[in-house]
Amino acid sequence: MRNTLRFIAASLCAIGLQFLCNGAVAQTFPSKPIRFVMAYPPGGSSDILAQPIANELSKSLGQTVLIEYEPGAGSTIAADFIAKSAPDGHTLVMLLTPHAINATLMPNLPYDTVKDFTSITLAAKLPLAVVVNAQPNSNTLQNLIAAAKASPGKVKYGSTGPGGYLGAEYFKSVVGVDIMHVPYKGAGLAVAGLLEREVDLLFDSLSHSLTQIQAGKLRAIGVSTATRSPVLPQVSTIQESGVPGFDISAWYGIFAAANTPAPIVQKLNAEIIKAMAVPEARQQMPKYLTQANYVGEGLKGLLKEGGSS
């Protein structure tokens, strides 16, 4: 009986110490500047989203949040950098949907896409759009599908990376059409290819093509999400155009190294959500992004909430 009571007492003490330790960790974090790593070059949508978040975090956390750039190799350089960083919350990374896709395309990654990361939050989601040349203006998604079915392999789509490519291939499989893939080495080249009619459509993120759509040179004829995009409310969803259940999106997630203590993850999650709610910060964020906040267990949570492209 005495041994049992001693065991219970020791267990209660251990639990109490754990709570005290967790509280101490949260209170002392951050103890130095935070490095916020970007997987893509300056000026892109992830950078534009990250800048106001970093500014607000610097104010609320009382430590400078420094944006650093580790672009290249389809975001694997930045991902590997974070995977090998100290799990103390002082090094973060913003990764996009290709981070999940890379695990299927690159069998020899130097890290485990799920096990080596802790997800802090899903910061935003981005619809893909079916984009065509503005002329002729009679193009609709239904007409495009009909043309592809009438002439298998004749309709050509351009892509700028795995997101648009897999989105288009998923569209092909769901609709049952045969359209030809034309890969480009960058978003600018793909948009130029559509403008020059090298391809018939792009299955593209709005971050690449929105400017040309707004200028009237390109036209969106469908968006990939279940609801319409607030920046293109006149454009029907792919579901509304006769493809029931079609709903995919790209996501922007913020990660730390695996085994980052839960109190730090919770604190970062709460502070990032607050930062994105500041009116001045929201005004600086790309309008085509849909904000969404989620904290889950590693990448699995982000995949469940954020979808894929």
Side-chain angles (χ1 to χ4, degrees):
M1 182 68 176
R2 287 182 179 178
N3 288 338
T4 301
L5 290 174
R6 286 174 183 169
F7 175 77
I8 293 173
S11 298
L12 291 173
C13 288
I15 293 170
L17 286 172
Q18 182 64 46
F19 278 118
L20 288 173
C21 289
N22 285 348
V25 167
Q27 288 176 5
T28 58
F29 174 82
S31 59
K32 60 184 179 181
I34 293 175
R35 305 168 72 182
F36 195 3
V37 177
M38 298 292 106
Y40 299 92
S45 58
S46 57
D47 187 30
I48 298 171
L49 174 62
Q51 291 285 352
I53 293 175
N55 291 339
E56 295 301 325
L57 286 180
S58 295
K59 299 174 188 175
S60 64
L61 294 176
Q63 289 283 356
T64 302
V65 178
L66 301 168
I67 291 184
E68 300 181 9
Y69 301 94
E70 296 285 348
S75 78
T76 60
I77 293 175
D80 188 45
F81 182 82
I82 295 301
K84 293 177 171 58
S85 66
D88 59 8
H90 289 94
T91 309
L92 308 175
V93 66
M94 181 175 285
L95 295 170
L96 281 59
T97 315
H99 175 62
I101 298 171
N102 288 338
T104 62
L105 299 180
M106 304 178 188
N108 298 315
L109 288 173
Y111 52 81
D112 186 296
T113 302
V114 175
K115 295 179 181 178
D116 289 341
F117 300 86
T118 296
S119 60
I120 303 299
T121 186
L122 173 63
K125 294 193 286 186
L126 172 66
L128 303 178
V130 181
V131 183
V132 298
N133 197 293
Q135 298 299 328
N137 60 12
S138 60
N139 273 338
T140 65
L141 191 60
Q142 293 92 336
N143 290 344
L144 189 79
I145 292 172
K149 288 184 175 181
S151 302
K154 298 289 186 180
V155 175
K156 295 178 287 187
Y157 80 90
S159 75
T160 61
Y165 165 67
L166 292 180
E169 291 298 314
Y170 176 62
F171 175 79
K172 286 170 57 177
S173 68
V174 170
V175 177
V177 294
D178 178 13
I179 55 178
M180 183 186 299
H181 177 218
V182 179
Y184 288 89
K185 292 185 177 180
L189 293 174
V191 169
L194 183 57
L195 289 169
E196 296 296 325
R197 300 181 186 275
E198 295 173 356
V199 292
D200 300 294
L201 70 138
L202 300 179
F203 211 99
D204 198 25
S205 76
L206 289 178
S207 62
H208 298 152
S209 52
L210 183 61
T211 300
Q212 297 291 347
I213 292 170
Q214 292 174 331
K217 296 180 180 180
L218 298 179
R219 192 156 56 86
I221 58 174
V223 293
S224 65
T225 42
T227 56
R228 297 190 180 193
S229 168
V231 297
L232 294 173
Q234 76 282 7
V235 179
S236 299
T237 67
I238 293 175
Q239 284 194 40
E240 291 174 318
S241 297
V243 187
F246 197 96
D247 179 17
I248 61 174
S249 59
W251 50 254
Y252 293 64
I254 299 176
F255 296 84
N259 301 315
T260 299
I264 292 176
V265 173
Q266 292 161 4
K267 185 171 184 176
L268 283 168
N269 174 264
E271 292 298 334
I272 291 170
I273 291 172
K274 281 168 48 181
M276 291 191 295
V278 175
E280 293 80 5
R282 290 176 66 93
Q283 290 175 3
Q284 298 175 51
M285 295 176 186
K287 305 303 180 188
Y288 46 76
L289 295 179
T290 302
Q291 292 180 27
N293 306 307
Y294 177 80
V295 59
E297 297 179 0
L299 187 66
K300 293 178 181 178
L302 277 180
L303 289 174
K304 180 173 68 174
E305 176 70 15
S308 62
S309 66

